[in-house]
Amino acid sequence: MDGRLDLVRTSTVIRSLEPDVVLLQEVDRGAARTDGVDQARELARLTGLEHHAFGAFMDYDGGQYGMAVLSASPILAYENHRLPEGTEPRTTLAARIRPGPEAPPIIFAGIHLYETAAQRLAQAQRVVEVFRDERAPVLLVGDFNSTPDDPVMQLLAAHWEFPAKPDGGNLTFPADQPRVEIDYILIRPAPAFRVLEYRVIDERMASDHRPVFMVIELVLEGGTR
C-alpha cells in the first residue's frame, strides 16, 4: 500500500501465520517491473514453503504475470486451466497436494476473476466446468472481485460450500480501510472438512487486499486428521 516492492515484508506476513499452503494472486516471473525476479520461487525460499508452482495469465514486460501456490508438502501435480478471456487473460491454477501420509490428495485452486460482471460470471461458469467431475476435495481460493450477493458467488455457492467469516471481520478490500468482501476460501465437499477458523488478517500494508486465513481438519473415514 506504500508503493514499495518488498517480498521480505510479504514473506514475514506469511511466516507469521505458519501456513501449510498459500495461494497468491498478482505474481510476476521474470518481469522487468519487478526486477526480473521469479517471485514464486523467491517467496518459497523466504517462507520455507519449499514447494511451489506458478501459473501464468499472460506474458508481460519481458516475463509473465499470474498466480502461485506455495506448499510445505510436495505438489503432486498442477494444471493452469485457461478461463474465458476478458479485459485480461485469466486462469485457475489447480495444485494437487497430499497434506499428510494418510490423507488423500486435495486440490487447491487459485482464483483471480476479472473484470466486468459478465466476464467474471463467464469465468466462474468455466471454473464449475473444470472441476465438475473432480472426485478429490477442492478448495477454491483467492480474489473473486465479487461480493457475497453477486451472481458470481451465487453460482459458485451452488457447487462449493461458502463458509461465513465472523461478523464485523469479513471485509478484505482495500487493505487500509476495507469496505467490501471479495476474497474467499470455498470448500467442497462440505463433509470432507471441518472449518476450525476462518478470518481476515488485519494486515494493512503488505498488499492492497487483506489476507484470508483458514484452519481446517480433513475428515477421514473412521476419524479426523
Side-chain angles (χ1 to χ4, degrees):
M1 293 297 285
D2 59 0
R4 290 172 51 210
L5 174 62
D6 190 343
L7 295 185
V8 172
R9 178 168 61 186
T10 302
S11 69
T12 298
V13 174
I14 293 172
R15 288 200 317 271
S16 72
L17 299 170
E18 300 182 345
D20 297 299
V21 179
V22 179
L23 288 93
L24 301 166
Q25 294 75 46
E26 299 190 22
V27 178
D28 282 356
R29 180 168 68 179
R33 68 174 176 181
T34 45
D35 302 326
V37 172
D38 183 336
Q39 292 188 320
R41 182 180 299 277
E42 180 64 4
L43 284 169
R45 184 186 71 81
L46 290 169
T47 60
L49 298 168
E50 58 181 305
H51 307 283
H52 69 279
F54 173 81
F57 293 154
M58 59 185 176
D59 294 339
Y60 186 83
D61 202 15
Q64 294 177 307
Y65 168 66
M67 295 187 295
V69 177
L70 312 178
S71 176
S73 300
I75 297 174
L76 304 178
Y78 69 92
E79 190 167 355
N80 197 34
H81 299 278
R82 185 65 54 184
L83 303 181
E85 295 192 7
T87 308
E88 293 179 355
R90 280 296 179 266
T91 66
T92 178
L93 174 62
R96 193 176 297 264
I97 299 170
R98 187 186 303 276
E102 299 179 12
I106 299 173
I107 293 176
F108 295 83
I111 287 292
H112 186 184
L113 305 182
Y114 191 75
E115 173 186 32
T116 68
Q119 291 168 7
R120 288 183 283 105
L121 186 58
Q123 292 162 5
Q125 289 169 335
R126 177 58 183 149
V127 169
V128 170
E129 294 170 4
V130 165
F131 298 109
R132 187 183 303 278
D133 297 324
E134 178 57 60
R135 294 189 176 184
V138 180
L139 277 74
L140 202 59
V141 183
D143 176 5
F144 294 71
N145 272 313
S146 307
T147 57
D149 58 350
D150 189 290
V152 167
M153 302 312 298
Q154 294 174 1
L155 169 66
L156 294 173
H159 301 272
W160 274 268
E161 182 75 9
F162 196 150
K165 304 184 188 78
D167 289 341
N170 59 323
L171 305 182
T172 60
F173 181 82
D176 54 350
Q177 293 183 323
R179 297 184 296 274
V180 293
E181 181 183 15
I182 57 175
D183 303 271
Y184 310 91
I185 301 173
L186 310 186
I187 62 177
R188 186 185 94 187
F193 299 102
R194 180 174 293 116
V195 178
L196 304 181
E197 186 178 351
Y198 184 32
R199 60 190 172 97
V200 177
I201 304 302
D202 186 4
E203 167 54 50
R204 309 182 185 195
M205 189 60 65
S207 169
D208 59 336
H209 293 242
R210 292 195 176 187
V212 177
F213 178 74
M214 180 180 280
V215 178
I216 55 175
E217 284 183 336
L218 182 63
V219 180
L220 305 175
E221 290 187 11
T224 301
R225 183 175 180 82

